[in-house]
Amino acid sequence: MSNVLFVEDEADLRTLMFEALSDQGYTVTLARNGREALLALGGEVTFSHVISDISMPEGVTGIDVANQAAQMQPGVRIVLASGYQRSQLPPLPPGTRFLSKPYRIRQLINALQDL
């Protein structure tokens, strides 16, 4: 079973992606921001994938989440998304897949399966 941590500050997108990923057979944990994501990563669930927006409120970015996820749960596969171009962003952690927002559900599913 694939456990996905989906981190997104936009409530509508969180709900939509929860339903879409659940329909694809993933078990989904939602986080509203980076701080919630770090709490989830430190919990009892082992995640196969972390999907996170890069720009989030409260001082913990998606890049911070990705770096912590790689340390806390080795082997986790990470997808980072942003409305910014990749060239406008700081370097992403090695092995991280990038998606430009807005993305289609199929693009996200393909990214999860490609990792």
Side-chain angles (χ1 to χ4, degrees), residues 35-53:
R35 293 191 190 286
E36 283 187 10
L38 295 180
L39 288 173
L41 287 164
E44 295 182 12
V45 176
T46 300
F47 294 101
S48 58
H49 300 82
V50 173
I51 306 160
S52 181
D53 188 13

Side-chain angles (χ1 to χ4, degrees), residues 39-101:
L39 288 173
L41 287 164
E44 295 182 12
V45 176
T46 300
F47 294 101
S48 58
H49 300 82
V50 173
I51 306 160
S52 181
D53 188 13
I54 290 177
S55 300
M56 288 186 290
E58 301 193 29
V60 179
T61 70
I63 293 173
D64 297 330
V65 170
N67 285 323
Q68 287 295 316
Q71 288 180 1
M72 297 169 84
Q73 297 200 15
V76 69
R77 292 165 287 200
I78 301 166
V79 177
L80 292 176
S82 179
Y84 292 101
Q85 296 297 315
R86 188 164 181 172
S87 61
Q88 296 174 292
L89 299 168
L92 303 182
T96 300
R97 181 78 184 263
F98 178 76
L99 281 179
S100 292
K101 288 174 86 176

Side-chain angles (χ1 to χ4, degrees), residues 4-5 7 11 13 18 23 30 37 41 48 51 58 61 64 75 79 87 91 93 99 101-102 104 109 111-113 115:
V4 174
L5 176 59
V7 190
L13 183 54
F18 176 84
D23 287 348
L30 297 175
L41 287 164
S48 58
I51 306 160
E58 301 193 29
T61 70
D64 297 330
V79 177
S87 61
L99 281 179
K101 288 174 86 176
R104 297 183 181 275
I109 299 301
L112 293 177
Q113 293 171 347
L115 286 171

Side-chain angles (χ1 to χ4, degrees), residues 24-43:
Q24 293 292 317
Y26 292 96
T27 301
V28 184
T29 300
L30 297 175
R32 293 178 298 165
N33 56 50
R35 293 191 190 286
E36 283 187 10
L38 295 180
L39 288 173
L41 287 164

